[in-house]
Amino acid sequence: MGVDSCTLWVNGKKYEFSVGTKFGQLSPEETLVETLRERLGLTGTKKSCDEGACGACTVIIDGEAITSCMTLTVDCDGKHIITVEGLQNPSTGELDPLQQTFIDEYAFQCGFCTPGVLMTTKALLMKNPHPTRKEIEDALAGNYCRCISQYHVLNAIEKFANGGEK
């Protein structure tokens, strides 16, 4: 028997979908990146390789960094999802300190991969607030940047994890 409804908690907000093949229903084959971008308008999560190889679509699901292009939305029923939009403080509009560090350290070039890198990093820091450079590199191994800004990214994360010191 198939699933007939799906409830997601995205950035603290509850979304309920009817699952099926009729117009307006959530298709059982729809990926989370499609749902986030096309149904919820959360376009910070990027759709790129559609193979889970580049990391641009990374979101945090129940504390884990997950590639949303390889995750069916129906498999996320009842899960708590954080997108890059969810990092910003909802009451003040202030950026997450990690986001501000990326800006301060120029840890991006074109910015396409940045949301995925931020989400992977945030998941790492949730588990390990003070990772080593090697742990940061290992965590980001699934995030691909064509602009080769990864050195700035690694430096920014390392600085952030060390309380502002490299």
Side-chain angles (χ1 to χ4, degrees):
M1 177 157 184
V3 177
D4 60 356
S5 68
C6 181
T7 302
L8 307 177
W9 294 89
V10 181
N11 301 328
K13 187 174 178 184
K14 183 179 181 180
Y15 294 92
E16 296 180 280
F17 301 99
S18 170
V19 178
T21 57
K22 294 181 180 165
F23 181 77
Q25 288 185 308
L26 178 71
S27 167
E29 294 86 25
E30 187 170 307
T31 62
L32 183 57
V33 70
E34 293 168 329
T35 301
L36 293 172
R37 292 182 60 79
E38 296 166 21
R39 291 184 186 269
L40 303 183
L42 298 171
T43 57
T45 302
K46 303 304 180 203
K47 185 174 180 179
S48 183
C49 73
D50 251 357
E51 295 178 354
C54 74
C57 68
T58 301
V59 297
I60 299 173
I61 301 177
D62 291 342
E64 297 291 328
I66 304 292
T67 51
S68 60
C69 73
M70 298 300 293
T71 305
L72 296 177
T73 302
V74 294
D75 289 340
C76 297
D77 186 34
K79 307 263 184 192
H80 292 265
I81 300 161
I82 304 171
T83 68
V84 70
E85 292 91 348
L87 295 181
Q88 186 176 14
N89 184 317
S91 56
T92 66
E94 290 181 31
L95 295 177
D96 182 273
L98 179 62
Q99 291 172 301
Q100 190 60 55
T101 299
F102 270 53
I103 292 169
D104 295 344
E105 297 296 315
Y106 305 102
F108 55 87
Q109 284 184 28
C110 81
F112 192 82
C113 70
T114 304
V117 170
L118 282 165
M119 299 314 293
T120 300
T121 302
K122 189 68 173 182
L124 169 66
L125 295 171
M126 289 166 63
K127 292 178 183 173
N128 179 1
H130 304 289
T132 65
R133 177 101 173 186
K134 175 78 168 100
E135 291 169 326
I136 295 166
E137 290 171 355
D138 289 347
L140 292 175
N143 293 82
Y144 181 69
C145 174
R146 293 174 186 245
C147 302
I148 41 178
S149 64
Q150 68 263 27
Y151 302 107
H152 295 285
V153 167
L154 293 171
N155 291 338
I157 296 167
E158 190 172 35
K159 182 175 182 178
F160 182 85
N162 291 322
E165 310 219 358
K166 284 187 190 175

